[in-house]
Amino acid sequence: MTEIFLLAAIILFTLLSFATQWLPLDVTALTTLGLLLLFGLVTPEEAIAGFANPAVITVMMMFVLSHALVESGVINRIGYRISHISGRSPWRAITALLVVSGVLSAFINNTAAVALFLPLAMLLAKHYKISPSRLLIPLSYISIAGGTCTLIGTSTNLLVSSLAVEAGMAPFRIFELTAFGGLLFVVALVYNLLVPLRTLPPRADPSSLTRKYSMGPYLTEMRVPKASPLIGSTVLDHGISERFDLNVLEIIRGRHKISQDIRNTPLEPDDVLLVRGTMEDIVALRGHYGLQLLTDLKLDDSTFTDRTNVLGEMQLAPQSQLAGQTLKEIDFRKRYGCFVLALNRTGGLIRDKVAFIPLRPWDILLVFGPRTRIEGLAQQEDFLAIGELDLKIRLAPRWWLAVAVIPLVVLLAALGVMPILKAAILGVVFLLVSRTITIQQAYKSINWTVIFLLAAIIPLGVAMTKTGMAEIVGSHIAGLAGPWGPTAVLAVVVVVTALLTEVVSNNSAAVLMVPIALSAAATLGVDPKPMVMAVTFAASMSFMTPVGYQTNTMVYAPGGYRFTDYLRAGTPLSLMAWVMAILLIPWFWPF
């Protein structure tokens, strides 16, 4: 019994850390693994078994295959084709966007699918004068629903299948989930077209980034008069950035704009400096050098965007190596040749002392600089472009190989020629040998946070089984709901799993609930398959919070959302999904 209390305390710590994000997800999972080892709840062999789990390796291979498909350029062409063929009909464009992204999410990582179509969603919002907040939550929801349609649609499906095999069950077939997942996808599609698109408030302005980030008080133009001590010297000579904690973004000299090597450009009379900083620092600069504030000019996006320069948004990728570092530590301006004007973190705008804020995954940076530099930034593995930067859509060399591999892997697994793990590994090997992708690209494409989370959290399920906790909890659930039949027990499993996945990762919810579902089925003496399927689908029913699923977190800042927006849009969809699961899972997989 002491072991059960210890395990309960470890689980409570894990859930609280996941919910509050006190530690990064992978660090929490590794800490949980360390505690299980420390108190002897798992053996060293059991602790590291997760790193060799077939689901973990398969997920790793699917990250590489998904990356190859994304880099082929074909998906970009399909996406941008949508914007050209939709004409004046926003509903046709939005429907095509949701259908294509949802179907794609059934076969590649849905985070990658959302990253691909998020810029297109922003472009459509601007073109049809629709707030992005009415498009991005539906984009996230449909990608989640699409991921439930196949075995490879999400890491949770692969994980539960692997756990089921360890419990003596047959592995899931690649299209075994498609019947119910497809119905859920259709319901989610119709719901998103009818409800969030019409009812979500227009929180984000697609037409102006300066207004979206409320940059007015932080940006101004200042003229250098003939008597100013700045004449003939440079910004670097006077140490303006360091002394006044502000940035000179551009020098406007007549009709000519100077945006490169500003610090070494000697100033001339009547030069206009585009300055970013707090009003206190701007006033101090004006007083010290006798500059003239051009307060009669209204700054908007057109002030920053021309043939040479551009204003854009870049999101920090989940696998970015810059996470945890500040812009000052990175030396962002020198390294990337552009400025960060503001930072958007899960809906909270940071405009002051931006250089000293440690970056986090999914942070959005409002960047300004030469167009070539910003376009180069969009090609970096550390960033995801949010807005349309007019990049040329090119097909990569050997693009047809990247496009062919995933369907071939799916076909081999579906026909039973080989297991999905074997097919995925051979697919990656083929791409590497054919030089469609490099080994460096393969390494960078893997979301190591997900891999370590999966590998480190799997032993928690082992500990629940070893200590008897899963049997106790499962027996209690069966005892309480059992008198109303196994469907009532399945309903409890669905609701508990779905609520759990709203505050912790979907994979963690699955690891915790699979042993309990198996125990409940054993207590009732029924086939465990429906219970396991209940966990599989419910773990992906994260619609009510921005923290339960990566894609929900990903669209939070670009959409300018509040927490309540997810409750408003996601609660009805969650309730429908729960009812569908309770009624239809026993029909597709009888007890």
Side-chain angles (χ1 to χ4, degrees):
M1 190 59 69
T2 302
E3 289 184 336
I4 292 179
F5 283 120
L6 276 173
L7 182 57
I10 292 172
I11 292 174
L12 180 61
F13 156 77
T14 304
L15 296 180
L16 288 175
S17 184
F18 278 144
T20 61
Q21 298 185 19
W22 175 59
L23 293 172
L25 293 179
D26 44 354
V27 175
T28 295
L30 288 169
T31 303
T32 300
L33 179 61
L35 291 172
L36 293 175
L37 275 170
L38 179 64
F39 292 106
L41 299 177
V42 294
T43 65
E45 292 74 20
E46 291 168 336
I48 64 172
F51 291 93
N53 186 282
V56 176
I57 306 302
T58 304
V59 169
M60 191 183 299
M61 296 300 104
M62 292 310 301
F63 274 128
V64 180
L65 296 178
S66 297
H67 176 78
L69 181 60
V70 169
E71 291 300 310
S72 71
V74 171
I75 306 301
N76 279 332
R77 284 207 168 185
I78 293 172
Y80 287 97
R81 185 67 178 163
I82 291 173
S83 64
H84 292 300
I85 65 175
S86 300
R88 297 181 179 179
S89 173
W91 295 107
R92 186 189 306 167
I94 294 166
T95 301
L97 170 72
L98 296 184
V99 170
V100 172
S101 59
V103 171
L104 187 65
S105 295
F107 299 99
I108 72 170
N109 177 264
N110 46 20
T111 303
V114 172
L116 273 172
F117 287 102
L118 199 154
L120 177 60
M122 301 294 283
L123 180 68
L124 294 177
K126 188 173 183 178
H127 179 72
Y128 293 111
K129 295 180 172 57
I130 302 170
S131 174
S133 58
R134 290 184 170 166
L135 294 182
L136 299 188
I137 274 182
L139 178 63
S140 174
Y141 287 175
I142 204 67
S143 73
I144 294 173
T148 66
C149 293
T150 68
L151 175 62
I152 61 174
T154 174
S155 58
T156 306
N157 299 348
L158 290 163
L159 174 62
V160 176
S161 177
S162 178
L163 295 175
V165 170
E166 291 178 3
M169 299 171 59
F172 297 171
R173 299 184 305 277
I174 194 160
F175 290 116
E176 186 171 356
L177 310 177
T178 305
F180 179 81
L183 286 175
L184 181 61
F185 174 76
V186 171
V187 170
L189 177 63
V190 174
Y191 172 81
N192 279 298
L193 288 172
L194 294 178
V195 181
L197 281 172
R198 300 174 185 270
T199 61
L200 280 171
R203 301 216 182 270
D205 183 353
S207 63
S208 175
L209 290 175
T210 51
R211 285 198 295 272
K212 177 180 176 181
Y213 283 82
S214 303
M215 291 303 300
Y218 293 84
L219 297 169
T220 192
E221 290 181 324
M222 308 179 79
R223 179 177 284 118
V224 183
K226 295 178 180 178
S228 173
L230 290 177
I231 299 298
S233 56
T234 67
V235 171
L236 183 61
D237 291 338
H238 291 267
I240 288 177
S241 296
E242 292 74 19
R243 290 177 62 189
F244 297 94
D245 195 23
L246 45 73
N247 297 118
V248 178
L249 306 178
E250 198 171 59
I251 300 173
I252 305 170
R253 184 169 292 164
R255 295 184 179 181
H256 181 55
K257 293 183 177 181
I258 303 171
S259 57
Q260 298 193 51
D261 201 25
I262 297 171
R263 303 174 71 183
N264 297 309
T265 301
L267 298 175
E268 298 179 3
D270 294 326
D271 278 351
V272 175
L273 309 181
L274 179 60
V275 179
R276 184 244 181 247
T278 64
M279 188 51 64
E280 180 182 357
D281 292 326
I282 290 171
V283 170
L285 177 66
R286 180 193 66 174
H288 190 82
Y289 293 107
L291 305 180
Q292 299 170 352
L293 281 177
L294 303 183
T295 54
D296 58 323
L297 296 179
K298 294 182 179 179
L299 300 180
D300 56 22
D301 287 12
S302 62
T303 306
F304 301 92
T305 304
D306 53 32
R307 294 181 180 178
T308 304
N309 303 313
V310 67
L311 189 68
E313 291 179 292
M314 292 289 162
Q315 189 167 47
L316 205 66
Q319 69 272 23
S320 174
Q321 297 180 0
L322 306 182
Q325 301 181 70
T326 67
L327 296 172
K328 187 174 182 63
E329 290 170 342
I330 298 166
D331 198 2
F332 190 93
R333 179 181 174 183
K334 184 176 181 180
R335 183 172 179 177
Y336 297 108
C338 50
F339 295 93
V340 176
L341 304 185
L343 187 151
N344 191 343
R345 173 170 294 166
T346 57
L349 296 178
I350 302 173
R351 295 173 294 258
D352 193 15
K353 310 293 184 184
V354 176
F356 301 96
I357 304 296
L359 298 175
R360 297 178 187 173
W362 309 122
D363 280 351
I364 294 182
L365 309 179
L366 179 65
V367 293
F368 167 74
R371 186 177 295 271
T372 54
R373 291 286 194 167
I374 302 297
E375 291 179 354
L377 200 63
Q379 303 304 313
Q380 297 283 331
E381 298 285 347
D382 292 310
F383 299 99
L384 305 171
I386 298 297
E388 171 56 38
L389 295 173
D390 297 323
L391 299 176
K392 295 180 179 179
I393 313 271
R394 297 189 183 93
L395 292 175
R398 304 182 184 87
W399 61 269
W400 64 91
L401 295 178
V403 172
V405 166
I406 288 184
L408 184 59
V409 167
V410 170
L411 184 64
L412 291 173
L415 295 177
V417 176
M418 61 182 68
I420 184 65
L421 172 60
K422 183 177 179 180
I425 291 175
L426 291 178
V428 170
V429 170
F430 174 75
L431 291 176
L432 290 171
V433 171
S434 65
R435 298 184 180 178
T436 305
I437 59 172
T438 65
I439 190 65
Q440 289 76 18
Q441 288 176 314
Y443 289 146
K444 291 180 180 179
S445 69
I446 297 169
N447 188 333
W448 293 103
T449 294
V450 172
I451 299 303
F452 275 87
L453 173 64
L454 282 170
I457 210 70
I458 285 174
L460 188 59
V462 175
M464 290 180 66
T465 302
K466 282 182 63 177
T467 61
M469 175 183 280
E471 182 179 356
I472 293 173
V473 177
S475 298
H476 274 77
I477 292 175
L480 291 172
W484 287 275
T487 301
V489 178
L490 182 139
V492 174
V493 170
V494 167
V495 174
V496 172
T497 306
L499 290 176
L500 194 59
T501 202
E502 295 289 2
V503 293
V504 303
S505 76
N506 48 337
N507 292 317
S508 301
V511 167
L512 289 172
M513 290 304 299
V514 165
I516 293 172
L518 291 171
S519 176
T523 301
L524 295 173
V526 298
D527 189 336
K529 192 65 171 282
M531 297 295 184
V532 173
M533 285 297 176
V535 174
T536 304
F537 286 107
S540 290
M541 293 177 182
S542 177
F543 305 117
M544 294 191 294
T545 70
V547 298
Y549 211 93
Q550 276 197 332
T551 58
N552 286 346
T553 307
M554 189 175 179
V555 302
Y556 193 113
Y561 293 117
R562 299 174 186 172
F563 193 95
T564 53
D565 292 329
Y566 287 83
L567 286 175
R568 178 187 304 177
T571 300
L573 182 57
S574 292
L575 293 175
M576 286 189 290
W578 297 355
V579 171
M580 286 179 62
I582 293 166
L583 296 179
L584 296 180
I585 286 177
W587 189 70
F588 286 116
W589 298 277
F591 287 105

